[in-house]
Amino acid sequence: MPVAANLDTDIGWALGVIFRAYVKATTSVTADIPGGHRGFQVLTRAASNPLASQRAIAQQLGIDRTVMTYLLDDMEKAKLVQRRADPADRRTRHVVATEYGLSVLADTCERLNLVESHILGKLSNDDRQALMAILPALAHQLNELDPITDLCEVVQDIGAGPQPRPD
Amino acid sequence: MPVAANLDTDIGWALGVIFRAYVKATTSVTADIPGGHRGFQVLTRAASNPLASQRAIAQQLGIDRTVMTYLLDDMEKAKLVQRRADPADRRTRHVVATEYGLSVLADTCERLNLVESHILGKLSNDDRQALMAILPALAHQLNELDPITDLCEVVQDIGAGPQPRPD
DNA sequence: TATTGTTATACTCTATAACTATA
DNA sequence: TATAGTTATAGAGTATAACAATA
């Protein structure tokens, strides 16, 4: 029986390897920020939109709202951001970056670009530019296309499923 | 102060979103296999190379060797693979897929391709083909380029680091 | 002594639900 | 009633070190 799967065509494997490598490589770069690369992303959102609520940031970044609470607690302790009650709806809190947070962000960005260059290192210029264009576009699509969860329905129509386990 | 970082150019964010979407979407597809998509990858390696040792598979897949032990315990209980002592070096164990394991693998592959198509759904044909070529190539490079760990040295040369925290 | 694999421990993430305060 | 945020708990995943067997 020939096996169709090999690692060269397994996108999941490739994504995992690349993502892990990215996280590993950026760990030292984002060491100043609680939560590492995730804290960095929160800081980015807070800096680019001072009216962003916890919930909005969490949704955009795929972070659970309960995790967001802990993360922001740490980031506030580190003086990177501040929570401010929205006067219009006192349930929601805006996350705003402090001056110090902005300086850390700028510094981190600079070093992050170096790491990204290193990660994408041996790709040709064409390939690199293609990736830098396609990856964010795809991510945006997936982020808006919310219910990725239920692919089982799509998939269960194709056949009888695997053979019963020999017990 | 203009902020250089925005999410559109943040490869880390894009990778995270895409990887999480992939894992989420494949969870139901790989439900037959202990460890989900990771168990699937182990099964793939075992099927494509019956002489692959635990250590070799773990290294290739970026799985800790202690995790590999638990994972293989579960996969053996599920009758998907067997451990066989290498006659040449009795410390190492080969991981071989069972007949049942191969059938589960084939079935899973089929459904996985559907999920991948769905994930890459709205990309143009050109973009999809570009991704399917670049991603695995990059992953291979990163996997061989072992010491991704120490980018701090590269990075620490560029400047004084962030400003001191205001206390 | 070095390596493969196993076991045990602790630590970090994450998911879930219950709770508050607002609307 | 529904929503934003918080808190507490339990579970999964992960890292670490100590250990046995073999080289």
Side-chain angles (χ1 to χ4, degrees):
Chain A
M1 178 196 299
V3 175
N6 78 359
L7 277 182
D8 294 336
T9 61
D10 184 353
I11 292 297
W13 169 78
L15 282 174
V17 168
I18 297 169
F19 184 61
R20 274 196 307 272
Y22 185 91
V23 171
K24 217 180 205 174
T26 55
T27 295
S28 61
V29 173
T30 56
D32 299 320
I33 305 173
H37 70 288
R38 275 174 121 187
F40 166 79
Q41 286 167 7
V42 170
L43 190 52
T44 304
R45 293 316 289 170
S48 68
N49 175 16
L51 296 181
S53 68
Q54 291 191 200
R55 174 183 156 283
I57 295 179
Q59 266 189 345
Q60 222 164 10
L61 264 36
I63 302 178
D64 192 88
R65 60 179 184 162
T66 68
V67 174
M68 183 61 96
T69 297
Y70 302 129
L71 186 51
L72 286 180
D73 284 349
D74 293 341
M75 292 181 70
E76 255 189 335
K77 275 178 208 148
K79 315 267 187 189
L80 295 169
V81 298
Q82 281 183 342
R83 281 187 258 224
R84 292 192 192 154
D86 180 350
D89 182 344
R90 292 178 50 200
R91 292 174 300 182
T92 81
R93 310 285 176 89
H94 293 159
V95 181
V96 312
T98 63
E99 274 303 311
Y100 171 66
L102 290 177
S103 80
V104 168
L105 179 58
D107 187 84
T108 306
C109 280
E110 204 178 333
R111 293 188 287 169
L112 216 48
N113 285 335
L114 284 184
V115 172
E116 282 183 5
S117 303
H118 192 262
I119 289 279
L120 303 182
K122 289 183 179 168
L123 289 183
S124 70
N125 260 342
D126 283 353
D127 283 354
R128 185 185 311 198
Q129 285 188 332
L131 260 196
M132 299 282 281
I134 299 175
L135 246 36
L138 179 57
H140 270 111
Q141 284 175 20
L142 292 174
N143 235 14
E144 282 161 21
L145 192 78
D146 242 358
I148 310 272
T149 323
D150 298 319
L151 285 206
C152 31
E153 300 165 10
V154 182
V155 161
Q156 275 167 358
D157 291 337
I158 81 162
Q163 298 168 18
R165 189 201 321 178
D167 263 333
Chain B
M1 177 196 298
V3 176
N6 78 359
L7 276 183
D8 294 336
T9 60
D10 185 352
I11 292 297
W13 170 77
L15 282 174
V17 169
I18 298 169
F19 185 60
R20 273 196 307 274
Y22 185 92
V23 170
K24 218 180 204 173
T26 56
T27 295
S28 60
V29 174
T30 55
D32 299 320
I33 305 173
H37 70 287
R38 275 173 120 187
F40 166 78
Q41 285 167 8
V42 170
L43 189 52
T44 304
R45 292 316 290 169
S48 68
N49 176 15
L51 296 181
S53 68
Q54 291 191 199
R55 175 185 157 283
I57 295 178
Q59 266 190 344
Q60 222 165 11
L61 263 37
I63 302 177
D64 192 88
R65 59 177 184 165
T66 68
V67 174
M68 184 61 98
T69 298
Y70 302 129
L71 186 52
L72 286 180
D73 285 349
D74 293 341
M75 292 181 70
E76 256 189 334
K77 275 178 207 148
K79 316 268 188 188
L80 295 170
V81 298
Q82 282 184 341
R83 281 187 259 224
R84 291 192 191 150
D86 180 350
D89 181 345
R90 292 180 50 201
R91 290 174 301 182
T92 80
R93 309 285 176 89
H94 294 159
V95 181
V96 311
T98 63
E99 275 302 312
Y100 171 67
L102 290 176
S103 80
V104 168
L105 178 58
D107 187 83
T108 305
C109 281
E110 204 177 334
R111 293 189 287 168
L112 216 50
N113 285 334
L114 285 184
V115 172
E116 283 183 3
S117 302
H118 192 262
I119 290 279
L120 304 182
K122 288 183 178 170
L123 289 183
S124 70
N125 261 342
D126 283 354
D127 283 355
R128 185 186 311 199
Q129 285 187 333
L131 260 197
M132 300 283 281
I134 300 175
L135 247 36
L138 179 56
H140 270 112
Q141 283 174 21
L142 292 174
N143 235 14
E144 282 161 21
L145 191 79
D146 242 359
I148 310 270
T149 322
D150 298 320
L151 285 206
C152 30
E153 300 165 10
V154 182
V155 161
Q156 275 167 357
D157 291 337
I158 80 162
Q163 299 168 18
R165 188 194 329 172
D167 263 334

